[in-house]
Amino acid sequence: MRPQTPLWDALQKHIISGLYPFHVPGHKSGRGLPTSYVNSLINYDLTELSGLDNLYDPSGPIARAQELTAQLFGVAATLFTTNGSTAGLIAAVLACCPSGGTIILPRNAHVSLLHACVLGDLSPVFVDVEIDPYTEIPLGLTPEQLSIVLESSGADAVVAVYPTYHGVCGDIRGIGEVCRQAGIRLIVDEAHGTHLYLNPSGPVSSLCTEASVVVQSTHKTGLALTGAAWVHIKDQSLVQRVKASLRLVQSTSPSYLLLSSLDITRAIMEEEGPRLMRRALAAADKLASILPLYKPPWPYRSDPLRLVINARQLGISGQYLAARFLAHGVAAEMFDLYSVTLVLSLADDEDSVAGLTAAFQQIERQPTGPPLAPVCPPLGQQVMTPRQAHFSPKRSCKLEQSKGFIAAEAVTTYPPGIPVVWPGQIITTEILEYLASRRALGAEFSGISAQGEVLVRAEVEND
Ligand SMILES: Cc1ncc(COP(=O)(O)O)c(C=O)c1O
């Protein structure tokens, strides 16, 4: 009997299904990358051999590739990472905050920022960003909200998510200005916005703002391989600190496949970026005239390459719509109760989206309509730091009996990787009601076991 290869089997099954990827990675099964590169990819799986430099302390071709990227984006330095924006954000936060410091985070912060808080022993101060009650889509941080929180927080840095997973963009210039006036560093999680700077008609890239560090998942809407990201540092005085922090969260054997894909993506963006962007925008425009796209209830633009279909407006659930898309050969990036999110990238054109139009036209409506469920409630009170909770004694507790306990681990949905509960927070009735309603509708959460248990802080003698 041949040895089992469950993951390889699953990948082969997926590939055979021939679905068109309206999801990341943005190279779209290699369409956006040079054929000569894709065809000999395996040969580039090398390591720190003579002449190939060393990501830990680069001085040869990796250093040069990083310099060329910094020049293209007009920043003081760009650092490559093969551990995604996850590593880039952790490094940026650790570079901008002292150990034991305070960081302002939007409610919809990615879970990597939790990891940064654990590593840096940081206290998060949350800004409860508005959630659209009709679609449950989180909007962004506003300069006004930030000003209020900044006044009393004593924070060392601010993180903004721009654009959000759903492509919502906000007043990032205004946020930068608030940070500048307060003399506080702004880190922008632009994981979903590598392509933004190529679009002169906006929304703008946060590279044009007062941000100190901008982190982009080049593998999401750029053309790099999964896990490849870059960290743009605008403030020269931070470069060595971000470098040192990045070393803490990178393998000493970074993948040359990923590193080379960053170099190639930069070269393509430099040479052909504006043309590829125009081509992708034309495809997006075509789809926008057919699909009922979500428009956030606020005055800011959204990313035109992030197509969020408002399933609720069609009288169906996001889950149903995504399943019908799959049946018609289209794989979406993400669905939730009321919407389906599709990713267009620099590799897409009008031909690649033709199948989506045809698929959408064939989708039958559901007579029952989408179920109604409570929207994500505010976070519970943070009574200890994420690090204290992470290292405290823990015990399992049935979810429905966990009210009032301190969470010892995050409860998160993937995608989009936004925690509903952070370690160190009190679990509230509203959160339990929300989780129960979503689980009843089939949603899965990391941090809730198959037995329906969460980890809470165990009571200790001195409590
Ligand atoms: C808003 C946001 N930030 C950061 C990340 C982490 O990015 P990466 O997958 O490159 O580590 C993600 C991942 O989905 C994300 O959605």
Side-chain angles (χ1 to χ4, degrees), residues 184-246:
I184 194 166
R185 288 213 160 93
L186 171 65
I187 298 164
V188 182
D189 172 354
E190 204 169 275
H192 294 273
T194 307
H195 59 295
L196 287 184
Y197 104 109
L198 291 171
N199 186 8
S201 54
V204 294
S205 164
S206 53
L207 288 163
C208 318
T209 70
E210 295 289 336
S212 299
V213 186
V214 176
V215 182
Q216 297 176 333
S217 293
T218 324
H219 65 99
K220 291 193 196 296
T221 59
L223 302 170
L225 302 187
T226 298
W230 45 42
V231 182
H232 302 300
I233 307 161
K234 296 185 67 192
D235 178 345
Q236 181 66 47
S237 68
L238 279 176
V239 174
Q240 288 311 323
R241 269 151 59 192
V242 179
K243 247 187 206 175
S245 302
L246 206 44

Side-chain angles (χ1 to χ4, degrees), residues 88-104:
L89 287 165
I90 294 173
V93 170
L94 296 182
C96 292
C97 298
S99 168
T102 300
I103 186 148
I104 295 182

Side-chain angles (χ1 to χ4, degrees), residues 86-371:
T86 298
L89 287 165
I90 294 173
V93 170
L94 296 182
C96 292
C97 298
S99 168
T102 300
I103 186 148
I104 295 182
L105 300 176
R107 164 76 181 82
N108 57 333
H110 183 254
V111 68
S112 51
L113 294 156
L114 159 61
H115 303 158
C117 288
V118 171
L119 293 172
D121 194 14
L122 304 175
S123 299
V125 173
F126 290 99
V127 186
D128 229 343
V129 303
E130 205 182 320
I131 295 181
D132 180 348
Y134 189 74
T135 53
E136 220 206 350
I137 291 178
L139 305 178
L141 180 68
T142 66
E144 296 73 26
Q145 285 173 314
L146 179 60
S147 300
I148 296 167
V149 175
L150 257 177
E151 261 173 34
S152 54
S153 68
D156 299 288
V158 172
V159 177
V161 185
Y162 175 95
T164 66
Y165 209 115
H166 292 95
V168 179
C169 296
D171 182 3
I172 194 69
R173 279 207 169 100
I175 288 171
E177 192 46 32
V178 170
C179 291
R180 190 190 63 76
Q181 281 175 16
I184 194 166
R185 288 213 160 93
L186 171 65
I187 298 164
V188 182
D189 172 354
E190 204 169 275
H192 294 273
T194 307
H195 59 295
L196 287 184
Y197 104 109
L198 291 171
N199 186 8
S201 54
V204 294
S205 164
S206 53
L207 288 163
C208 318
T209 70
E210 295 289 336
S212 299
V213 186
V214 176
V215 182
Q216 297 176 333
S217 293
T218 324
H219 65 99
K220 291 193 196 296
T221 59
L223 302 170
L225 302 187
T226 298
W230 45 42
V231 182
H232 302 300
I233 307 161
K234 296 185 67 192
D235 178 345
Q236 181 66 47
S237 68
L238 279 176
V239 174
Q240 288 311 323
R241 269 151 59 192
V242 179
K243 247 187 206 175
S245 302
L246 206 44
R247 285 192 197 116
L248 299 178
V249 284
Q250 301 249 61
S251 163
T252 54
S253 305
S255 160
Y256 274 76
L257 293 174
L258 273 61
L259 293 173
S260 57
S261 75
L262 286 169
D263 193 27
I264 290 174
T265 299
R266 189 267 313 145
I268 295 175
M269 287 176 86
E270 188 175 328
E271 201 179 40
E272 294 188 85
R275 181 185 68 80
L276 296 179
M277 188 69 197
R278 281 196 300 277
R279 199 181 68 165
L281 285 171
D285 271 355
K286 198 161 186 184
L287 290 175
S289 63
I290 295 160
L291 304 173
L293 294 185
Y294 172 67
K295 292 192 184 54
W298 71 349
Y300 309 109
R301 307 259 316 276
S302 284
D303 172 7
L305 297 192
R306 191 58 54 110
L307 303 180
V308 180
I309 304 178
N310 191 337
R312 188 167 185 180
Q313 191 183 319
L314 294 172
I316 56 181
S317 72
Q319 191 174 11
Y320 172 80
L321 181 56
R324 299 311 302 146
F325 269 142
L326 268 184
H328 291 288
V330 166
E333 165 74 14
M334 171 174 74
F335 64 84
D336 36 42
L337 199 47
Y338 302 124
S339 63
V340 170
T341 301
L342 308 170
V343 174
L344 294 195
S345 76
L346 297 177
D348 282 304
D349 58 18
E350 290 194 36
D351 288 345
S352 65
V353 304
L356 174 65
T357 314
F360 183 70
Q361 277 155 357
Q362 290 174 56
I363 287 174
E364 323 80 41
R365 306 291 183 263
Q366 210 182 18
T368 50

Side-chain angles (χ1 to χ4, degrees), residues 370-449:
L372 290 177
V375 296
C376 193
L379 291 169
Q381 191 192 353
Q382 190 88 40
V383 290
M384 60 175 60
T385 66
R387 184 183 175 92
Q388 284 165 338
H390 178 85
F391 287 107
S392 62
K394 300 168 190 173
R395 70 174 180 84
S396 295
C397 174
K398 280 276 173 212
L399 182 65
E400 53 277 17
Q401 290 160 11
S402 65
K403 183 188 155 202
F405 284 101
I406 302 173
E409 253 192 18
V411 176
T412 310
T413 41
Y414 283 101
I418 299 172
V420 178
V421 177
W422 280 56
Q425 291 179 350
I426 302 277
I427 301 173
T428 63
T429 310
E430 294 74 29
I431 285 172
L432 290 179
E433 281 170 4
Y434 170 77
L435 291 172
S437 73
R438 292 311 152 113
R439 292 180 81 224
L441 292 168
E444 286 174 16
F445 293 88
S446 99
I448 303 179
S449 71

